[in-house]
Amino acid sequence: MDLKTQYLGLELANPIVVGACPLGTSVDSIRDLEAAGAAAIVLPSLFEEEIMAAARTAMEIESAGAGFAEAGSYLPNPDGYHIGPGQYLDHLEAVKAAVKIPVIGSLNGTSVGGWTNYSKKMENAGADALELNTYLLPFESDETGAEVEQRTIDIVAAVKEAVSIPVSVKLSPFFSSLPNLAKRLEAIGADGLVMFNRFYQPDIDIENLDVVPNLRLSTADELRLRLRWLAVLSAQTRMSLAATGGAHSAVDVIKAVMCGAHSVQMVSALLIHGPDHIGRTLDAMRFWLTDHEYENLAQMQGSLSLAKAENPKAFARANYMKMLDSWEM
Ligand SMILES: Cc1cc2nc3c(=O)[nH]c(=O)nc-3n(C[C@H](O)[C@H](O)[C@H](O)COP(=O)(O)O)c2cc1C
C-alpha cells in the first residue's frame, strides 16, 4: 500500500511525523523513530527566550572584557529538554547526518526581532523545513485581535524573508477568523499550517492557594477540533496542512488525512507507547486501506474536506441544533 504524501514540498513515505517533543533531543531515539517508520521529525523548539538569554550573556561577557576562552563557561547549559541555541544547531547537524528522513527545525517565539535570524542558521545547519510556533497568550486588554494576528504575520514574514526552505506555522485554534488568518499567511508565502498548538493548562492547588503547572498528554478526543478546521481550511488553501493534537491511532490518522491533512504529527501516543507505535499504526492503516479498496493514501486525502464531503453542513452551525436535539434523556 502506497502511503506517500507531499508535505511542505517534501515527499514523505507516509503521513506520520514525530511532532516537537523530548523524543527529538537524542540522536539515538531519532534513529529508533526512523526505524519504526516515522516519515519525518520536527525537532523540539528553540525558544526566543533561549536565544535572547544567550545573546544577553554574550553581551555581558563582551562588556566585562572576559577572554574568549572563558566565554563558554558563562553560557547557560541547562540540563534536560531545552539546550540553548549553539547546541541546538549542533544537534540539528548531528541528526541530519544520522538519519535520511526530513528534519524540521522548530522556532518558538512571540515578537518580531533578531531571534528570527536563527531560522537562517537552522537552514544552514541542514533543516529541510522550519516550523514556526507563535505560542502567545494575549493578556493585555489594550492589544486588539488584529494586532495579535499581525504579530504572527510579521514573524512569519521575517522568517520567510530570511530562508529559502519551506516554513510552516503552528497555530492556536483561538483566532476569530482562522480562514482569514490562513489566507493572509498564504499571501505572505507561508508554506504550511500545523493545527493546533495545545495550550498547557495550569491547575489550582486549593489547599496551598497555588497555581500548579502540570503537563497532561492528549487524548484522541482532542482530534475533533483539528478535524473540523482541517476540513474547512483544506477546502480553501493551497498550503500544506499538518494535524497535531489527539492523533493516537490509525483511525485518527486516517480521519485527519480524509479531512485534508497532508501529514499527521504524533507526540503523546509516542511518549506513552514508544517509537514502535508508529510501525503498528502504519500496519493498521495499510490493513484498513486495503480492506476498503483504496489503492493509495492520496486517493482519500481531503475526501472529507468542506468542498468534497457529502454532508459539509455537519461541520458547520447548521448541525448544531440538530446535534443538541439528538441527546436522549
Ligand atoms: C513534553 C512535550 C514537549 C513539547 N515540546 C514542544 C516544543 O518544544 N515545541 C512545540 O511546538 N510543541 C511542543 N510540544 C507540543 C507537541 O509538539 C504537540 O503539538 C502536542 O503534544 C499535541 O500533539 P499530541 O496530541 O500528539 O501530543 C510538546 C509536547 C509535549 C508533550
Side-chain angles (χ1 to χ4, degrees):
M1 177 59 62
D2 174 5
L3 296 181
K4 281 202 282 300
T5 177
Q6 295 277 334
Y7 176 61
L8 300 176
L10 305 164
E11 183 170 292
L12 305 186
N14 68 68
I16 301 184
V17 170
V18 181
C21 76
L23 293 170
T25 53
S26 127
V27 173
D28 284 343
S29 91
I30 295 174
R31 277 205 197 94
D32 290 346
L33 291 160
E34 180 182 45
I41 178 150
V42 185
L43 294 187
S45 296
L46 177 58
F47 281 73
E48 174 182 357
E49 290 83 348
E50 293 176 87
I51 296 171
M52 299 316 286
R56 270 195 304 277
T57 311
M59 270 173 58
E60 277 162 25
I61 291 167
E62 204 170 309
S63 62
F68 178 75
E70 288 169 68
S73 61
Y74 289 85
L75 290 168
N77 182 21
D79 288 328
Y81 189 31
H82 289 109
I83 55 181
Q87 278 171 273
Y88 191 98
L89 297 175
D90 292 345
H91 178 58
L92 176 48
E93 272 184 30
V95 173
K96 274 301 291 176
V99 294
K100 293 198 176 63
I101 53 173
V103 178
I104 301 173
S106 169
L107 266 177
N108 196 318
T110 60
S111 63
V112 180
W115 68 277
T116 55
N117 295 338
Y118 267 83
S119 54
K120 186 69 195 164
K121 296 186 185 191
M122 287 191 190
E123 177 175 24
N124 292 341
D128 295 285
L130 288 182
E131 190 172 287
L132 207 50
N133 185 337
T134 56
Y135 184 111
L136 174 71
L137 298 164
F139 283 176
E140 301 298 329
S141 58
D142 284 338
E143 190 176 32
T144 65
E147 284 164 351
V148 173
E149 289 187 9
Q150 192 58 44
R151 208 139 35 120
T152 298
I153 300 272
D154 290 344
I155 295 170
V156 176
V159 170
K160 276 300 291 182
E161 182 103 336
V163 298
S164 51
I165 50 177
V167 177
S168 63
V169 188
K170 191 167 182 178
L171 284 179
S172 131
F174 306 118
F175 285 101
S176 304
S177 171
L178 266 173
N180 180 262
L181 180 66
K183 187 175 170 181
R184 292 176 67 203
L185 286 168
E186 185 168 12
I188 59 157
D191 302 278
L193 300 179
V194 183
M195 302 186 315
F196 290 114
N197 248 322
R198 257 180 104 228
F199 287 96
Y200 296 102
Q201 320 281 3
D203 204 354
I204 299 295
D205 176 345
I206 57 172
E207 297 301 332
N208 295 305
L209 283 184
D210 204 3
V211 184
V212 193
N214 72 354
L215 193 156
R216 292 234 176 133
L217 297 179
S218 71
T219 66
D221 280 348
E222 294 179 36
L223 188 67
R224 288 183 177 205
L225 176 72
R226 280 79 185 163
L227 297 179
R228 163 181 283 135
W229 289 107
L230 283 166
V232 171
L233 294 186
S234 67
Q236 45 188 301
T237 182
R238 294 174 65 82
M239 288 184 284
S240 286
L241 299 178
T244 179
H248 283 244
S249 68
V251 172
D252 297 335
V253 177
I254 289 170
K255 286 179 184 174
V257 172
M258 283 181 169
C259 288
H262 300 94
S263 72
V264 180
Q265 298 186 1
M266 273 190 178
V267 167
S268 293
L270 301 180
L271 293 175
I272 297 166
H273 304 292
D276 288 346
H277 186 67
I278 299 175
R280 290 192 292 270
T281 306
L282 291 172
D283 284 345
M285 285 176 66
R286 286 189 198 97
F287 178 84
W288 191 92
L289 277 132
T290 309
D291 194 48
H292 290 73
E293 299 181 3
Y294 282 94
E295 282 164 20
N296 50 48
L297 184 93
Q299 229 182 349
M300 69 172 200
Q301 202 272 331
S303 55
L304 285 180
S305 80
L306 212 55
K308 295 192 191 150
E310 264 181 40
N311 180 17
K313 284 187 178 162
F315 284 119
R317 180 180 164 86
N319 214 49
Y320 181 43
M321 265 179 65
K322 212 166 125 192
M323 194 197 66
L324 297 181
D325 285 343
S326 72
W327 180 260
E328 283 174 25
M329 297 277 280

